[in-house]
């Protein structure tokens, strides 16, 4: 499945595209001109990317790749997210929203830490329906 918007491409290699307001989140965090590809992938692809680019041999819930100051890619593995969302004391849909926000904050240049957590909470609460 594929959805295309202005400067945003969403692809699901594993079935349906989750109901997350990606365009609204992207425009708020990254701006309208930022070119973003969001790919919902399976665990095999997640593991391959994680091994190739991070030298970690396991599938992970999210991988973020800044390609330039105005372009990036986010890979979210839904099956890994489904296994881990309860650790965050939220439902699966809210966790997917958090992952989208998390990836975009990384593309914006925000690193893990207190600032990231504060922004993640604010944006997830704003955009989770």
């Amino acid at each position: 499945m594929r959805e295309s918007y202005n400067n945003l491409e969403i692809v699901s290699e594993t079935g349906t595209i989750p109901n997350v307001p990606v365009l609204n989140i992207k425009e708020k965090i990254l701006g309208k001109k930022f070119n973003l590809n969001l790919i919902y992938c399976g665990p095999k692809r997640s593991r391959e990317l994680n091994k190739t680019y991070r030298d970690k041999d396991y599938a992970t819930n999210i991988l973020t790749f800044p390609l330039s100051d105005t372009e990036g890619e986010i890979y979210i593995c839904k099956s890994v997210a489904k296994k881990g969302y309860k650790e965050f004391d939220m439902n699966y849909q809210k966790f997917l929203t958090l992952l989208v926000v998390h990836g975009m904050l990384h593309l914006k240049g925000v690193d893990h830490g207190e600032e990231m957590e504060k922004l993640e909470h604010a944006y997830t609460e704003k955009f989770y329906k």
Side-chain angles (χ1 to χ4, degrees):
M1 298 196 77
R2 178 180 304 268
E3 293 180 9
S4 296
Y5 305 92
N6 233 2
N7 298 322
L8 172 63
E9 186 86 16
I10 304 171
V11 176
S12 179
E13 299 173 345
T14 60
T16 60
I17 294 174
N19 187 22
V20 175
V22 177
L23 181 61
N24 293 336
I25 297 169
K26 177 205 158 291
E27 289 182 352
K28 183 68 176 172
I29 296 175
L30 298 171
K32 291 182 179 188
K33 293 182 179 179
F34 193 94
N35 292 308
L36 176 66
N37 291 318
L38 173 61
I39 300 97
Y40 292 100
C41 66
K44 182 179 178 190
R45 181 139 189 222
S46 174
R47 182 178 182 170
E48 288 170 355
L49 290 168
N50 205 19
K51 177 112 172 96
T52 299
Y53 294 101
R54 298 180 65 229
D55 202 26
K56 300 190 186 272
D57 193 16
Y58 58 87
T60 187
N61 57 19
I62 185 168
L63 291 162
T64 304
F65 298 100
L67 304 175
S68 72
D69 289 344
T70 60
E71 187 174 12
E73 293 183 337
I74 298 172
Y75 290 81
I76 295 177
C77 182
K78 294 188 293 184
S79 63
V80 174
K82 275 185 184 167
K83 292 177 186 173
Y85 73 89
K86 292 176 185 171
E87 295 173 32
F88 291 83
D89 197 29
M90 57 182 67
N91 66 37
Y92 174 63
Q93 194 67 33
K94 188 172 185 178
F95 187 57
L96 286 177
T97 303
L98 170 70
L99 290 176
V100 169
V101 167
H102 181 84
M104 289 189 199
L105 288 172
H106 273 309
L107 291 175
K108 184 85 171 168
V110 181
D111 291 324
H112 291 151
E114 199 173 308
E115 178 189 6
M116 162 111 26
E117 289 176 16
K118 200 180 293 184
L119 289 169
E120 283 175 340
H121 177 75
Y123 285 123
T124 300
E125 291 303 314
K126 178 179 175 94
F127 289 107
Y128 172 69
K129 296 177 184 199

